[in-house]
Amino acid sequence: MPDLIVIGAGPAGMMAAIAAAENGAHVTLLEKNSRPGKKLAITGKGRCNITNFCDIDEFISNVTANPRFMYSAINNFSCYDTVAFFEERGLPTKVERGNRVFPVSDKAADVVDTLTSYLDELGVNILQREVTGLIISDGTVRGVQTHKGDMYADSVIVTCGGLSYKATGSTGDGYRFAKSAGHKITPLLPSLVPLCSDDTDIPELQGLSLKNVRLTVTDNNTDKEIYSDFGEMLFTHFGISGPIVLSASAHMRSMSPGRYTAYIDMKPALDRETLDKRVLRDLSEAANKDIINSLNKLLPKKLIPVVIARAGIPPHLKCNALIAEQRRALLDVIKGFKVGIHSFRPINEAIVTHGGVDVKDIDPRTMQSKLIKGLFFAGEVLDLDAYTGGFNLQIAYSTGILAGRAASLYNSQ
């Protein structure tokens, strides 16, 4: 029976330990926190978006970094396999908007409990240990160094996560271990993260949530559109956030002040001509009113003063005094509300880390290092990330399962 050490008890680590133990390995799972799954327990605002109920092609289309690398892993353990895994172990699930899968209980803690209970059933030894390094000799991993002494094993799986949510233990240890083994670490950036703006009127909109809008982001260096989608977003004191903003951030790899501009179409269901007719109707119904008091049927109250100011229209101008040029300017702002992007929010606020262990040096069929024998990687420590909607957790499960199965067979190869 091979001895196997897994470093990090997040979703990738727990799945790796499960797969290895199911294959007969003697598994020790090391976690520096007092309990496994600390980050998993807070995902999805405490509800845990377990996965996305989609087929393999749809899954791959939602992976934004190195999607081709994921083919073996997702074919080996699909989104449907994830749902079956939890259902078969007593955790009922439900599918919500966008094929997002949640526990029926809406409790992320139940997801963690399902995993830890099964780890216990399989006899996986979970120890609270802080790993300080890998033990490597003659091109082969021999074990790990911990704050309580060295531990030896036939193979080691690194599943330490990334740099987001440092309070949960994601402090970049896995990158340090990979570097010590000769692996390249691609640049580490926040992904699925809110965006900061220096536009002076944005703080006036703090707390305003918009639904059914279209967000388009352009790269000002190339004058190309890099992202466009329809959905929900939120104005904050620092800039913009919300589902479509987080997804947009995954495409903004080379951030610098002023490089990117976001445009919000407040009324994407109306073409410009139809919107113009709508505005004319609203203005005619309030002909003798100030324009600032006349757009409540069209726009949220908090947004009206900002939109009017951006259109260059005096707020107390009577509706019947509005000229065609001013109306065109109003339409321009409503159909293309401009937000200059200055920077990402800090990486600690990101849902996931973009960058990590370069997948060119990882065998996608096994998750084993091409540089060091017996060393495997899985989860966020790898240069893999995806959109929101359960896809990043699925990356963790699929790569973890593949690594665990391969590592459990390592001695017999």
Side-chain angles (χ1 to χ4, degrees), residues 138-320:
D138 299 324
T140 302
V141 69
R142 308 295 181 181
V144 301
Q145 300 166 332
T146 81
H147 73 298
K148 291 190 175 182
D150 294 348
M151 300 178 67
Y152 294 89
D154 300 304
S155 56
V156 173
I157 306 176
V158 177
T159 56
C160 302
L163 286 174
S164 58
Y165 295 100
K166 289 184 179 180
T168 64
S170 297
T171 53
D173 295 339
Y175 307 131
R176 181 165 50 84
F177 302 152
K179 273 187 176 181
S180 73
H183 280 272
K184 176 186 175 183
I185 306 301
T186 60
L188 303 173
L189 299 168
S191 191
L192 305 183
V193 66
L195 301 173
C196 299
S197 175
D198 282 344
D199 293 355
T200 56
D201 54 3
I202 295 298
E204 297 176 37
L205 302 174
Q206 179 180 348
L208 176 62
S209 178
L210 299 177
K211 296 181 178 181
N212 304 320
V213 298
R214 176 166 291 280
L215 180 74
T216 300
V217 177
T218 59
D219 183 337
N220 298 321
N221 286 2
T222 62
D223 291 325
K224 290 184 178 179
E225 179 183 304
I226 62 164
Y227 173 85
S228 186
D229 203 3
F230 174 88
E232 300 177 16
M233 60 161 292
L234 172 72
F235 287 101
T236 70
H237 67 284
F238 56 76
I240 53 176
S241 187
I244 53 176
V245 173
L246 299 184
S247 292
S249 73
H251 294 267
M252 303 162 75
R253 299 306 194 192
S254 301
M255 176 61 76
S256 60
R259 174 162 185 174
Y260 299 103
T261 302
Y263 296 90
I264 305 162
D265 184 347
M266 307 288 182
K267 297 294 175 182
L270 304 178
D271 61 27
R272 192 177 176 92
E273 182 180 350
T274 306
L275 179 60
D276 191 26
K277 291 177 181 178
R278 167 73 186 275
V279 169
L280 281 169
R281 186 178 73 239
D282 288 355
L283 293 177
S284 65
E285 290 175 357
N288 296 313
K289 289 185 178 181
D290 294 350
I291 190 166
I292 197 167
N293 299 321
S294 307
L295 298 175
N296 292 332
K297 293 180 181 179
L298 188 67
L299 298 170
K301 186 176 181 180
K302 186 178 277 192
L303 190 59
I304 294 171
V306 176
V307 167
I308 290 174
R310 287 191 172 204
I313 301 171
H316 298 293
L317 181 72
K318 300 301 180 184
C319 292
N320 57 13

Side-chain angles (χ1 to χ4, degrees), residues 30 40 51 184-185 234 261 288 327 342 353 359 395 398 407:
L30 304 180
L40 186 60
T51 187
K184 176 186 175 183
I185 306 301
L234 172 72
T261 302
N288 296 313
R327 198 174 74 250
H342 178 269
T353 306
V359 296
I395 288 173
S398 296

